[in-house]
Amino acid sequence: LAKTTQPISMDSYEGQEVNITCSHNNIATNDYITWYQQFPSQGPRFIIQGYKTKVTNEVASLFIPADRKSSTLSLPRVSLSDTAVYYCLVGKTGFQKLVFGTGTRLLVSP
Amino acid sequence: NAGVTQTPKFQVLKTGQSMTLQCAQDMNHEYMSWYRQDPGMGLRLIHYSVGAGITDQGEVPNGYNVSRSTTEDFPLRLLSAAPSQTSVYFCASSYRAGQRNTEAFFGQGTRLTVV
């Protein structure tokens, strides 16, 4: 499975847009990019998944350039409740062997 | 629809004791997995199953056993607990590859302390 690299932590304020970039230089042709969110004392929760270009849902957008060696999770207008750890994962869709890195710890302040 | 249910939520064991962490899902998912998460770390895969009767090892399988006799249940057994197994354990399930909605659903976790 492709290894991913993310910033260890990020700080933001309420109402701002937050962009978290993930590097995955060894991504395979049939790999998808998936982001999970984890709050303290809870299991990870799926946010968004994509293969190329742009994917948007009700909570986030995922931008993937043509070479697919990186991706950016965009959270519009964050609130205090978006404070969490965000994990970028790369692998085949529906894969049962998720490989988590240390993730990006996002702290949103008032 | 309860999703993925783990029991117990908290457990303290003495070194050498055995126990089983329970995991059940009601979404008819083929895939189920167990992960452990140590403080400040990401999740690491212990064992996984692609269907009833089929299990395989993940990244950190030593000290743990699993079985999958039904689609719904995937218990994790600690045969002889060690302090190094102090961690938070998460169970996850998902549909098999190639199906829609292949996101993984996680339970709330079991916080295990071995003294």
Side-chain angles (χ1 to χ4, degrees):
Chain A
L1 295 173
K3 179 180 169 59
T4 61
T5 303
Q6 307 173 229
I8 293 175
S9 64
M10 296 182 67
D11 294 322
S12 184
Y13 293 96
E14 282 189 295
Q16 290 190 332
E17 178 184 71
V18 171
N19 295 310
I20 306 174
T21 297
C22 178
S23 172
H24 29 79
N25 292 320
N26 296 323
I27 189 169
T29 302
N30 53 357
D31 283 344
Y32 280 70
I33 299 153
T34 310
W35 286 79
Y36 283 83
Q37 174 192 56
Q38 186 180 26
F39 297 114
S41 302
Q42 293 189 24
R45 182 174 71 109
F46 174 90
I47 301 175
I48 197 166
Q49 183 180 79
Y51 183 81
K52 62 180 179 180
T53 62
K54 176 183 175 182
V55 179
T56 298
N57 62 23
E58 63 276 8
V59 298
S61 295
L62 178 59
F63 298 92
I64 306 168
D67 66 6
R68 302 200 329 121
K69 293 184 182 301
S70 67
S71 59
T72 299
L73 174 72
S74 181
L75 304 172
R77 297 180 297 281
V78 294
S79 64
L80 298 177
S81 63
D82 291 315
T83 292
V85 178
Y86 293 82
Y87 295 97
C88 166
L89 286 76
V90 174
K92 298 177 181 56
T93 182
F95 50 87
Q96 68 279 18
K97 297 193 288 183
L98 302 178
V99 178
F100 288 82
T102 52
T104 298
R105 191 172 300 273
L106 173 65
L107 175 63
V108 180
S109 301
Chain B
N1 192 336
V4 179
T5 303
Q6 291 183 236
T7 56
K9 288 185 171 52
F10 302 93
Q11 183 71 50
V12 179
L13 287 179
K14 293 182 179 179
T15 297
Q17 285 185 318
S18 63
M19 79 159 296
T20 299
L21 279 61
Q22 301 291 344
C23 176
Q25 53 91 9
D26 60 1
M27 296 172 281
N28 203 30
H29 286 166
E30 292 87 349
Y31 291 173
M32 295 187 75
S33 307
W34 276 101
Y35 298 82
R36 62 176 287 175
Q37 186 173 34
D38 299 325
M41 305 289 288
L43 283 72
R44 291 185 293 170
L45 181 65
I46 304 172
H47 284 286
Y48 66 96
S49 169
V50 299
I54 306 170
T55 64
D56 205 346
Q57 297 181 350
E59 180 186 0
V60 289
N62 292 338
Y64 308 95
N65 279 353
V66 292
S67 60
R68 184 98 179 269
S69 57
T70 67
T71 300
E72 295 78 18
D73 301 299
F74 191 44
L76 177 71
R77 281 182 282 277
L78 282 71
L79 299 179
S80 179
S84 61
Q85 294 178 305
T86 294
S87 189
V88 181
Y89 292 83
F90 290 101
C91 178
S93 72
S94 69
Y95 288 111
R96 61 178 170 82
Q99 288 189 312
R100 296 181 62 186
N101 301 322
T102 53
E103 66 185 89
F105 293 82
F106 285 81
Q108 289 296 308
T110 294
R111 187 174 297 274
L112 175 67
T113 301
V114 182
V115 298

